[in-house]
Amino acid sequence: MKKTIHFSKERNTREKLLEELKAPILSIDGKLCIFVVDKGHKNGAEIHVITENAVICIYNQRSKKFVTALIARPAQLERYGVIIPDFVIRRARLHTSMGYNEI
């Protein structure tokens, strides 16, 4: 997978943790939780992919390169405007209590 310079600069600890937290893409009512998010960044819009393990994988829409992954807090998941299943919210709370989102 091609990675952007941004992700390449992140700590090895985070990359190892993300490897351990790999999970399938979250599906709600048969629809994958994949969102195009345009924050006006100079490199264009992003594609946000939410996994069943409460990780948000972010790709550049134009280049398709992996930008980063966020170990989501519950509030971050709720901002996508869909009802996130309780098991994913509980996982996000667990990760937050363990400090994973700060790595």
Side-chain angles (χ1 to χ4, degrees), residues 26 28 33 77-78 80-86 89:
L26 179 63
I28 300 174
C33 288
L77 294 169
E78 292 165 355
Y80 288 94
V82 296
I83 298 172
I84 302 294
D86 286 340
I89 297 295

Side-chain angles (χ1 to χ4, degrees), residues 29-89:
D29 296 329
K31 295 180 182 176
L32 295 176
C33 288
I34 300 173
F35 304 90
V36 175
V37 177
D38 190 351
K39 295 183 177 180
H41 192 277
K42 67 177 182 168
N43 292 330
E46 300 169 336
I47 298 171
H48 291 206
V49 178
I50 302 174
T51 71
E52 292 180 0
N53 218 3
V55 173
I56 303 168
C57 299
I58 301 175
Y59 301 85
N60 178 276
Q61 185 181 32
R62 191 177 316 136
S63 70
K64 309 297 188 252
K65 287 183 181 178
F66 178 73
V67 177
T68 193
L70 305 174
I71 300 168
R73 298 182 313 275
Q76 286 174 303
L77 294 169
E78 292 165 355
R79 287 187 199 124
Y80 288 94
V82 296
I83 298 172
I84 302 294
D86 286 340
F87 78 92
V88 179
I89 297 295

Side-chain angles (χ1 to χ4, degrees), residues 8-18 103:
S8 298
K9 290 181 180 179
E10 291 180 359
R11 292 168 271 182
N12 286 337
T13 305
R14 185 183 216 197
E15 194 167 358
K16 288 176 187 172
L17 178 60
L18 290 168
I103 295 174

